[in-house]
Every structure is written in structure tokens, then in C-alpha cells.
Amino acid sequence: MKEVLKHTTRAVAFLALLGSLDAHCASAFDASINRLFITSVSVNGATYQNVSATINSFTLLGVDNGTPGADTFNPANNLLTLGSVVFQGVTYNNVRVQLNSFTLLAATLATDTPGTSTPTAPVTPTPTTPTPTPTPTPTSPGGTLTAANTCSLSNFQTDLMTLINQARATSRTCGSTSYPAAAAVAWNSKLFDAAAVHSADMANQNYFSHTSLDGRTFDQRITAAGYSWSTIGENIAAGQTSVASVMAGWMASAGHCSNIMNGNFTEVGVACVASNSATYPTYWTMDLGRP
């Protein structure tokens, strides 16, 4: 590692100044707040857009001026490669960084379905006949909140409902879209069960996606939990250690914010499951719906 770093002086200087990159660049690192922004990155075959993360510790591995590759992240070893970044008219290609410690704040899963976005998915599929799917065993049948599905956070439900409905009570702009104030949502135990099942699955199987490893989508999981819906949406997050921090991350992300401000939703359920062995220490799921 030391030998590698000896030959990356230019790259070190580059990363130290990434914070002043033009906003239109593919990626940027704001050193004043340790915040990384990536427009689009491939993770295990899936493409995530509008990614932001707080980088607590990293090791710069190298930079070359060869043909730019894709922006990729390997969660197995936390290796991030940024294919091309422009700074003060100079293009740096294939920046490789080992992320030693970081917290994911927001990401949007790119899909081919118009109107969908993930981890803040303002997706509102309304199939006439829900897709048949095996019914998973809920983490907490009947919507029972336990330490295991609330990350052992005290006042979990109360704090979430307060922050969600405080946000909806005021008009705001999510990305480039303005939303009027919306009516308060109510907690729903079946939406909570669906959220708890998905958070537990992500934590136990070490992945981060709206699509379960067995192929189930969030509408299938919500239907399997027994929730009869006319419109639904889902937000996910990973790494946050408090209700306030996960809500701040969601509200700072256009897609997640749009879900929370969507006046069509009348009910919500949120779960958080912790893990000592997965990539992230916590996995959050917010399911929103309207019967």
C-alpha cells in the first residue's frame, strides 16, 4: 500500500480539492463535510443514481490517465472506482479508493420503468391482479415493534411519525418538484410488517436493493403482508443510526422526499434492522400506501 501511495501525489492533491468541483461533474467530494456525491454507479450489476455518502475514512489507491471505465462499487471489499472526474479543466480517470468507513445517505436505483426511483421509489404500481408470491414470515407478526425491528431505538414509532408528519405539514421542493403540504399519514401495522421483513432480509443476506434476492419486488412484499392497496411506495436506507439521521437523508434526496410528500399516501410503516456482519450496520425500510 505504501508503494502505491508514493506514486499518487497528484491524485492526493486532486481528492483534497474535489469539494470545489463543478456541480455538473460526474462525481464530487466535499472535504469540508466529508461528503461524496456520485451521479451514477454500478453495484453488483445494479445501477444507482444520485448517490451521496459521508466518508469517514478512506485510502486512495491510485489514479491513471487511461481510457475511463465505469463508476463501480464492490461492497465485498468497499472498493470504489470513479471512471472520470473533471477538476479545473483537467480530467482524472479511474480514481480508485478504498472506503474504510462510510455512511450511505441516499441513492436511487435506476430502472427501466417510467416513474420509478429507488431507494426513494415514488413507484405507485396499481396492477388489477397483484402478482402471486409466497407469503414470507413477518419479522414481527401483527405489527409488533421489538428491539430487533427498530434497531433498539427508543421512541422509534413516535419519533418517526412526528418527523414524517412535520415534513408533510409544510410545502417544500423535492429536487426540482414542488409539493404542497399534505395531510398527516397514519401508522399501519401491515406496512410495518412488510418493511420489517425486507429490512431483516437485507441485513441477514447482506444486500441493499428494493428487489429481494429471491426476485420479489416491494409491491409483492406489501401484498404478501396482507395490505390491500391502490397506490404504494418504498424508501430504503442503510447505515443511519437514528431516526433523525435517516429522515434527514431521505428528505435531502429528491426521490425519497417525493415519496414522503406524496399526498396520495395515507399510511406508513417503517422498520430498522441492525447487523454486525453485513456491509452496513443498519437497514431501513419505509413502506407507504393508500388502501
Side-chain angles (χ1 to χ4, degrees):
M1 188 69 67
K2 291 182 179 178
E3 290 303 315
V4 174
L5 293 178
K6 286 180 181 178
H7 301 289
T8 58
T9 304
R10 183 181 181 188
V12 171
F14 155 66
L15 281 181
L17 295 173
L18 271 178
S20 59
L21 277 170
D22 184 272
H24 297 290
C25 288
S27 60
F29 179 71
D30 187 339
S32 66
I33 56 173
N34 293 334
R35 189 68 49 80
L36 175 67
F37 302 91
I38 306 174
T39 300
S40 179
V41 61
S42 176
V43 182
N44 290 341
T47 300
Y48 290 88
Q49 298 175 334
N50 303 319
V51 177
S52 64
T54 298
I55 309 302
N56 304 311
S57 173
F58 70 91
T59 302
L60 180 65
L61 300 180
V63 175
D64 68 57
N65 289 318
T67 302
D71 289 355
T72 63
F73 177 68
N74 184 351
N77 57 13
N78 287 348
L79 178 62
L80 174 68
T81 299
L82 300 176
S84 180
V85 185
V86 178
F87 173 66
Q88 293 186 342
V90 179
T91 299
Y92 296 86
N93 296 337
N94 303 320
V95 179
R96 294 179 295 112
V97 179
Q98 178 77 48
L99 300 182
N100 302 320
S101 174
F102 67 97
T103 300
L104 181 67
L105 301 177
T108 299
L109 178 64
T111 71
D112 296 326
T113 305
T116 67
S117 73
T118 11
T120 109
V123 187
T124 56
T126 53
T128 303
T129 304
T131 306
T133 182
T135 302
T137 301
T139 301
S140 52
T144 302
L145 279 71
T146 68
N149 57 38
T150 62
C151 289
S152 300
L153 296 172
S154 60
N155 302 315
F156 182 83
Q157 181 180 351
T158 300
D159 289 349
L160 275 165
M161 294 306 294
T162 297
L163 291 178
I164 292 169
N165 286 323
Q166 280 181 351
R168 288 171 65 90
T170 304
S171 61
R172 66 185 66 246
T173 299
C174 301
S176 59
T177 303
S178 297
Y179 289 86
V185 291
W187 186 270
N188 182 275
S189 62
K190 292 180 179 178
L191 287 174
F192 170 76
D193 280 344
V197 166
H198 190 49
S199 285
D201 195 48
M202 289 191 292
N204 293 335
Q205 300 199 63
N206 193 20
Y207 71 96
F208 182 70
S209 173
H210 286 280
T211 303
S212 304
L213 293 185
D214 61 7
R216 286 176 298 136
T217 56
F218 75 93
D219 59 308
Q220 293 174 322
R221 293 190 300 269
I222 291 173
T223 299
Y227 187 76
S228 298
W229 50 271
S230 61
T231 185
I232 49 174
E234 181 172 88
N235 289 345
I236 59 175
Q240 292 82 358
T241 57
S242 68
V243 167
S245 62
V246 76
M247 281 297 297
W250 278 334
M251 295 308 297
S253 167
H256 297 83
C257 173
S258 296
N259 258 358
I260 293 171
M261 292 302 297
N262 190 332
N264 290 325
F265 295 135
T266 60
E267 298 176 323
V268 67
V270 185
C272 177
V273 174
S275 174
N276 293 323
S277 58
T279 300
Y280 305 108
T282 59
Y283 289 81
W284 297 76
T285 302
M286 171 189 282
D287 284 330
L288 305 103
R290 182 188 189 98

